[in-house]
Amino acid sequence: MTAMTHDSGNDALIIAGKSYRSRLLVGTGKYKDMEETRLATEASGAQIVTVAIRRSNIGQNPNEPNLLEVIPPDKYTILPNTAGCYTVDDAVRTCRLARELLDGHKLVKLEVLGDEKTLFPDITATLQAAEKLVTDGFDVMVYTSDDPIIAKRLEDIGCVAVMPLAAPIGSGLGIQNKYNLLEIIEQAQVPILVDAGVGTASDAAVAMEMGCDGVLMNTAIAGAKQPVLMASAMKKAIEAGREAFLAGRIPKKRYASASSPIEGTFF
Amino acid sequence: MNILLNGESQQVPDNITAAQLVENLGLAGKRLAMEINQEIVPRSTFEECVINPDDHVEIVHAIGGG
């Protein structure tokens, strides 16, 4: 027991030099209200929480609750995203606004989308935007496809974490290409997080059992019938998957091997 | 004078500063970021930043997203 406690106690996720206990990162979109966002985020145990940057409502209800009052930056690491950006310039501009909004905060989630139907990343634009942002001093966590060559390029550019999709954003299909993901994990020198495509707790556990450093999700929690309960399930799945990865699973075999000894049988 | 504020045409007093604009919109003290003609305006410079006619002003904040 001591060994287990010791191992899991030291098992921090380190991103851009900062240490996190939780390997579950959550988005804040698609919730029915701020209270549900707050409760689900708390239940998830997440320490890194994504937000989007959008125009303020001018002249409409200036007293509506602000997300950053519900998810305060002194309690959570806020990860502003570039969701909805289809060009390098829009993504870079969004990150600069986010940095100003969050008082010089450098950690951003870069995504440059290529297509509205699939929301797959535009890889060439993602590479260009990553270069610009890294040069500009940002700590870039980058959403990308499950292509190992591109994952390595993004790491070489200086991204602090590479985040391949498991399946299309919001699809809930789970990990579609385990072998690519495994290749990405095995070659990486930076944290690899599955970003997008998780549907339920077992998907998250599978990603962690494979050796992913973390999972970022939004729809799987916010879109569940009971988001707060699903947030709790995801927290456990991530922890279970991580511990199983560290423990080292048994090899798969085609035939049985008895659990009880043969010696000492009296029949 | 006329400016383009968050994509919409808006009449504001001549020589209005960024700080006054934010105040007039009821957004004073809110966590927001501003850019004018695609250049970031640091919050620390809102008092002295004078907005010109036809400037494109964007005021943004954080909302839920994944």
Side-chain angles (χ1 to χ4, degrees):
Chain A
M1 283 310 286
T2 314
M4 190 202 87
T5 316
H6 179 77
D7 282 347
S8 45
N10 283 335
D11 181 40
L13 169 65
I14 295 170
I15 296 177
K18 194 169 169 192
S19 178
Y20 301 92
R21 289 183 315 280
S22 172
R23 291 173 178 271
L24 172 58
L25 288 69
V26 296
T28 51
K30 298 185 179 175
Y31 287 103
K32 76 169 192 258
D33 55 30
M34 289 287 182
E35 184 60 6
E36 191 180 69
T37 310
R38 186 180 71 78
L39 291 172
T41 307
E42 272 183 14
S44 75
Q47 296 173 286
I48 303 178
V49 178
T50 63
V51 304
I53 307 298
R54 291 292 180 272
R55 283 173 167 162
S56 300
N57 288 331
I58 301 297
Q60 310 163 19
N61 190 11
N63 293 321
E64 72 179 329
N66 183 324
L67 178 64
L68 295 181
E69 288 162 15
V70 177
I71 309 290
D74 56 353
K75 184 172 169 195
Y76 295 97
T77 294
I78 305 297
L79 181 61
N81 69 25
T82 63
C85 291
Y86 285 82
T87 67
V88 174
D89 285 350
D90 286 349
V92 170
R93 204 177 146 197
T94 301
C95 289
R96 287 178 179 157
L97 278 165
R99 181 166 59 183
E100 171 60 22
L101 182 72
L102 295 166
D103 307 316
H105 169 96
K106 295 193 299 179
L107 191 68
V108 291
K109 173 185 160 181
L110 171 65
E111 56 181 281
V112 188
L113 303 173
D115 171 57
E116 279 178 32
K117 184 180 169 195
T118 62
L119 298 179
F120 280 147
D122 178 333
I123 291 303
T124 51
T126 300
L127 289 163
Q128 286 175 44
E131 288 222 41
K132 280 196 175 185
L133 290 168
V134 168
T135 305
D136 203 2
F138 285 95
D139 292 331
V140 180
M141 300 177 70
V142 59
Y143 164 69
T144 183
S145 63
D146 57 12
D147 179 336
I149 307 299
I150 298 301
K152 195 69 196 168
R153 288 264 165 84
L154 289 163
E155 180 183 323
D156 292 344
I157 284 170
C159 293
V160 298
V162 176
M163 306 199 291
L165 54 81
I169 295 172
S171 69
L173 288 171
I175 299 167
Q176 293 300 291
N177 197 334
K178 279 192 185 178
Y179 297 101
N180 274 25
L181 189 56
L182 207 53
E183 186 61 33
I184 291 171
I185 292 165
E186 284 179 0
Q187 71 181 4
Q189 305 295 316
V190 295
I192 300 296
L193 294 90
V194 156
D195 177 8
V198 166
T200 188
S202 53
D203 296 334
V206 167
M208 296 308 294
E209 285 170 10
M210 290 173 59
C212 275
D213 296 283
V215 179
L216 198 169
M217 65 179 78
N218 190 156
T219 308
I221 296 174
K225 283 185 185 142
Q226 295 191 51
V228 180
L229 189 57
M230 186 58 91
S232 165
M234 290 299 187
K235 176 181 192 229
K236 291 169 185 160
I238 294 285
E239 288 171 359
R242 179 66 183 175
E243 288 187 2
F245 169 71
L246 293 175
R249 61 152 300 152
I250 60 163
K252 291 182 184 180
K253 289 185 302 216
R254 281 186 66 201
Y255 303 106
S257 80
S259 305
S260 307
I262 304 299
E263 196 182 329
T265 47
F266 54 89
F267 38 77
Chain B
M1 67 177 183
N2 197 63
I3 62 169
L4 201 65
L5 176 62
N6 283 6
E8 290 185 14
S9 185
Q10 183 120 0
Q11 280 294 319
V12 296
D14 287 354
N15 299 318
I16 192 171
T17 63
Q20 288 163 341
L21 178 65
V22 167
E23 177 78 39
N24 291 358
L25 293 169
L27 297 173
K30 302 270 181 192
R31 193 182 269 273
L32 53 83
M34 185 190 292
E35 67 175 19
I36 298 179
N37 304 327
Q38 300 205 10
E39 292 290 328
I40 300 280
V41 182
R43 261 176 291 173
S44 57
T45 67
F46 276 10
E47 295 289 341
E48 56 262 38
C49 172
V50 177
I51 296 170
N52 294 307
D54 301 320
D55 272 354
H56 289 208
V57 180
E58 293 287 348
I59 299 177
V60 302
H61 66 159
I63 64 154

